[in-house]
Amino acid sequence: MDFDSVLPDVGSFGLYQKAVICLVLLPALIPCAFHAYSQLFIAANPNHWCHIPELETWANDPVFTDFIKDISIPLELRDGKLRHKQCQMYTRNYTQIREMLLQRTPLNYVKSSIEQTNLTTQCSNGWNYDKSVFSSTVITEWNLVCDKDYYATLALVLFGVGGLIGNYIFGYMQDSWGRRPSFYTYLVIEVTACALSAIAQNFIIWLALRMIVGLTVPAILASPYVLAIELVGPDKRSFCTLISNIAYSIGLVLLSGVVYCVRSWRLLSLAVSIPLLFLLTCFHVLPESPRWLVAIGDYRRAAKIMKKIARVNKKTLPSNYEDILRLKMEKPSQIVTHKQLYGISDLFSTKNIFQKTLIITFIWFANTSVYVGLSYYAPALGGDEIYNFFLAGAVELPTYFVLWPSMHYFGRRWVLCVSMIVGGSACLATFLSQHDKSITLLLYCIGKMGISSAFVVLPLAASELYPTVVRGLGMSFSSVIGMIGPILIPIINHMGSDMMVLPLLIMGALLTLGGVVSLLLPETIGQPLPQTIDDGEMIPIRNFCECFTKQNSKTSKKNLTNVTKPTSLVYETNV
């Protein structure tokens, strides 16, 4: 018998699950979006030009700013317009110009008196920064421009490296320590590192602390989702997935509001970390996953939590429920006394699970790369970068209202496929409208809606395909490989400084290919979660010849029902 069959004993989606999900798990997702993307604004690169000490008195005066730029900074063609260069200045006698300005010489006469020259030199006295959007950023504080302009990209790359390492470690922690202790361990690390980064005195210290934050972000995002789907029945898993993504998208929208109000990078670092402190007060409220406890054979703790759920959901359980739960979930012939260790090799132990792991991991890589890439790309679209980021988060919300009925009527596989192909096609189409920023912005929004939809479906489908004993490990393994994308994406976006739509073309091709490959996955709607690897073998992979035929889900479900469910093995994850 599988765990989904015993959930009705306590209520598969009663008051207890609703309270935990709405009051603890969903609020945990909203500020997590802050940490994932706040670095775009903490390390924003505003417009800048060479600082000329002799003209400093007039450089910050709105009346003289344009005049000072015109006489000291050469022009270049950038983004289709003539703009002042950011790293070069004219070689001129600025002391003489200063004397004329002090004598209140008319500006036209000053300009005509300047010796005309095309000789330029690199900025040697620092830079002036446009502070109309941000009063200070990491870039402006430590002058990370011109020959150091790759430092911001490096910071995003190392942030992604931290996420990759953190995901790998967190998968083992989830399946060995449990869902709850793993979540709070990473939460404390995340809040501490982000708060400390606000008082960093140099770029190296700040970079190291941001990498630690990156270490925790994917794990913090995954924990509420995994715990939510393990607390509810099969018919509510898609609902949990949907509202989790809604909460995350709301977090993106709220982040743009926080950035709008807080324009100093140090204060912004505190503003996106302090809200997470309230989650520490929920330690005794957040339960361990009873599904995981049953999978590792800890029936005593599982029964205790199940009784608590039943009491809140107004269900009645017998006093000997632990013994009943044990009898339901295991067969005497399967009881063994030794521990069975599960590791990475078990994700490739059979042809079936190997193929599933390979396909899920590739799609995860494509989705993570494109979702993060498009979110990082929003400020580069031109115009108000805070508004662009707000728009990138807001366009995700309407897609969820379409996804909710779609996942029920069409299943996971087709919705995933269509979402990725539509999003990928929109990104590819930007090549045809690269000189029209309005059309490019529209296609960008369509691409963001497509990838947002795919991001809702993929974790749900993956969690329904990976068996319980390796679910945390499997999803973390796929996430780890997927996190290679956010490492590469900042570099690709940096390359787009010469051709704005180049990153969109690369992301569009990757997303479209992922959509085609997703057709190979089996449909999982309405089927019990596989508990053991043997259960997973009863859900066969598809081939391209079967992609457009209806899967016999009843047969798969029947096969799963006939397979023996969790034994009293103590499951652990190990390398």
Side-chain angles (χ1 to χ4, degrees):
M1 182 178 291
D2 63 272
F3 189 80
D4 290 329
S5 301
V6 300
L7 260 181
D9 295 345
V10 299
S12 59
F13 194 65
L15 179 61
Y16 183 88
Q17 287 94 333
K18 294 174 184 176
V20 169
I21 291 172
C22 294
L23 300 180
V24 181
L25 298 181
L26 292 186
L29 289 170
I30 293 177
C32 281
F34 292 3
H35 286 279
Y37 297 105
S38 59
Q39 189 165 315
L40 295 176
F41 305 102
I42 291 173
N45 188 359
N47 186 32
H48 52 274
W49 57 95
C50 294
H51 172 65
I52 301 172
E54 294 86 347
L55 304 180
E56 182 177 4
T57 304
W58 300 273
N60 297 319
D61 187 333
V63 176
F64 291 93
T65 299
D66 290 338
F67 173 75
I68 296 301
K69 281 186 182 181
D70 290 339
I71 65 174
S72 60
I73 310 297
L75 296 172
E76 66 176 348
L77 187 64
R78 191 169 70 247
D79 298 331
K81 293 183 179 180
L82 282 175
R83 304 177 188 272
H84 291 99
K85 290 188 176 182
Q86 298 179 319
C87 302
Q88 290 183 326
M89 63 186 217
Y90 285 122
T91 302
R92 284 180 174 153
N93 187 349
Y94 291 107
T95 302
Q96 181 184 6
I97 298 174
R98 178 177 181 274
E99 292 299 325
M100 286 191 289
L101 291 174
L102 286 174
Q103 295 172 7
R104 298 184 180 274
T105 305
L107 297 184
N108 290 337
Y109 180 78
V110 173
K111 193 170 185 178
S112 62
S113 301
I114 295 174
E115 180 183 356
Q116 298 301 315
T117 178
N118 292 324
L119 295 178
T120 62
T121 183
Q122 300 296 319
C123 301
S124 56
N125 299 298
W127 292 264
N128 291 322
Y129 294 96
D130 181 358
K131 296 185 178 181
S132 61
V133 179
F134 299 103
S135 61
S136 69
T137 71
V138 168
I139 304 299
T140 63
E141 181 153 337
W142 293 313
N143 288 325
L144 306 179
V145 295
C146 294
D147 59 336
K148 295 182 180 179
D149 65 347
Y150 65 91
Y151 277 35
T153 300
L154 175 63
L156 286 175
V157 168
L158 292 182
F159 188 85
V161 170
L164 190 152
I165 298 171
N167 246 335
Y168 185 76
I169 298 172
F170 185 70
Y172 284 101
M173 290 175 62
Q174 265 198 325
D175 289 334
S176 55
W177 293 11
R179 292 9 178 178
R180 187 176 69 159
S182 301
F183 172 72
Y184 279 102
T185 299
Y186 268 72
L187 179 63
V188 170
I189 295 173
E190 182 179 60
V191 173
T192 303
C194 191
L196 288 176
S197 73
I199 58 174
Q201 295 304 305
N202 59 65
F203 176 72
I204 299 300
I205 294 175
W206 177 82
L207 187 65
L209 290 169
R210 288 303 302 177
M211 187 173 178
I212 294 174
V213 174
L215 189 83
T216 64
V217 166
I220 294 292
L221 294 177
S223 296
Y225 172 74
V226 170
L227 189 52
I229 67 165
E230 291 188 343
L231 281 174
V232 302
D235 58 327
K236 296 299 181 182
R237 290 200 295 263
S238 59
F239 174 75
C240 289
T241 302
L242 190 66
I243 59 174
S244 295
N245 282 271
I246 289 175
Y248 187 76
S249 297
I250 291 174
L252 295 178
V253 174
L254 291 178
L255 174 59
S256 63
V258 173
V259 174
Y260 182 82
C261 297
V262 183
R263 304 296 181 97
S264 168
W265 76 269
R266 293 186 185 275
L267 294 178
L268 181 59
S269 297
L270 293 175
V272 298
S273 58
I274 291 176
L276 285 173
L277 291 175
F278 86 93
L279 292 172
L280 297 175
T281 64
C282 303
F283 181 80
H284 296 291
V285 178
L286 189 68
E288 183 54 87
S289 167
R291 189 186 297 271
W292 176 79
L293 292 171
V294 166
I296 66 169
D298 192 344
Y299 292 100
R300 182 186 62 80
R301 290 175 62 196
K304 183 178 179 180
I305 294 173
M306 295 286 276
K307 288 179 180 179
K308 183 178 180 180
I309 296 174
R311 185 169 61 255
V312 175
N313 289 345
K314 301 188 183 302
K315 297 277 187 176
T316 303
L317 293 179
S319 57
N320 64 335
Y321 185 71
E322 178 184 343
D323 297 328
I324 296 173
L325 182 63
R326 186 186 301 271
L327 289 173
K328 285 183 176 182
M329 300 303 296
E330 67 182 29
K331 283 187 176 181
S333 60
Q334 294 177 312
I335 299 178
V336 293
T337 57
H338 67 279
K339 294 184 178 181
Q340 181 166 338
L341 304 178
Y342 284 89
I344 291 290
S345 59
D346 291 288
L347 296 175
F348 307 94
S349 57
T350 67
K351 181 180 178 181
N352 181 282
I353 196 170
F354 171 80
Q355 291 176 330
K356 289 175 184 173
T357 301
L358 192 64
I359 294 171
I360 291 172
T361 301
F362 174 74
I363 297 173
W364 209 302
F365 170 79
N367 279 5
T368 305
S369 301
V370 177
Y371 184 87
V372 173
L374 290 180
S375 297
Y376 283 177
Y377 192 74
L381 288 170
D384 189 334
E385 53 193 285
I386 299 177
Y387 172 75
N388 287 345
F389 189 83
F390 164 80
L391 191 63
V395 296
E396 297 181 12
L397 295 172
T399 65
Y400 302 135
F401 297 100
V402 178
L403 278 179
W404 176 242
S406 298
M407 285 192 295
H408 282 78
Y409 287 106
F410 302 108
R412 306 352 179 180
R413 189 171 62 97
W414 275 108
V415 174
L416 178 63
C417 172
V418 171
S419 298
M420 294 182 74
I421 291 178
V422 169
S425 300
C427 290
L428 290 173
T430 58
F431 178 76
L432 303 175
S433 62
Q434 55 184 305
H435 299 299
D436 189 330
K437 289 190 175 181
S438 299
I439 300 298
T440 299
L441 179 60
L442 175 62
L443 292 172
Y444 167 86
C445 290
I446 295 174
K448 193 66 171 14
M449 294 172 72
I451 187 59
S452 301
S453 302
F455 230 94
V456 173
V457 185
L458 178 60
L460 176 61
S463 66
E464 292 175 338
L465 288 170
Y466 282 125
T468 298
V469 294
V470 291
R471 182 171 298 121
L473 176 61
M475 294 186 70
S476 292
F477 173 79
S478 297
S479 296
V480 164
I481 303 301
M483 286 303 294
I484 295 175
I487 296 174
L488 301 176
I489 281 298
I491 301 173
I492 294 173
N493 281 349
H494 189 69
M495 292 164 53
S497 57
D498 296 324
M499 181 181 177
M500 191 180 76
V501 299
L502 177 61
L504 295 177
L505 296 179
I506 295 174
M507 289 185 280
L510 184 62
L511 195 59
T512 302
L513 180 59
V516 173
V517 172
S518 68
L519 289 173
L520 296 175
L521 292 175
E523 183 56 70
T524 58
I525 185 172
Q527 297 193 37
L529 289 177
Q531 297 285 91
T532 66
I533 290 179
D534 287 339
D535 294 352
E537 293 298 296
M538 296 297 102
I539 307 177
I541 204 73
R542 303 170 70 92
N543 58 55
F544 279 111
C545 295
E546 300 172 327
C547 286
F548 299 97
T549 61
K550 187 175 181 181
Q551 184 183 12
N552 190 353
S553 58
K554 292 183 178 180
T555 302
S556 298
K557 188 172 182 178
K558 182 179 179 181
N559 290 339
L560 259 180
T561 305
N562 291 334
V563 172
T564 304
K565 296 296 181 265
T567 68
S568 60
L569 291 173
V570 179
Y571 296 110
E572 288 188 353
T573 304
N574 197 14
V575 178

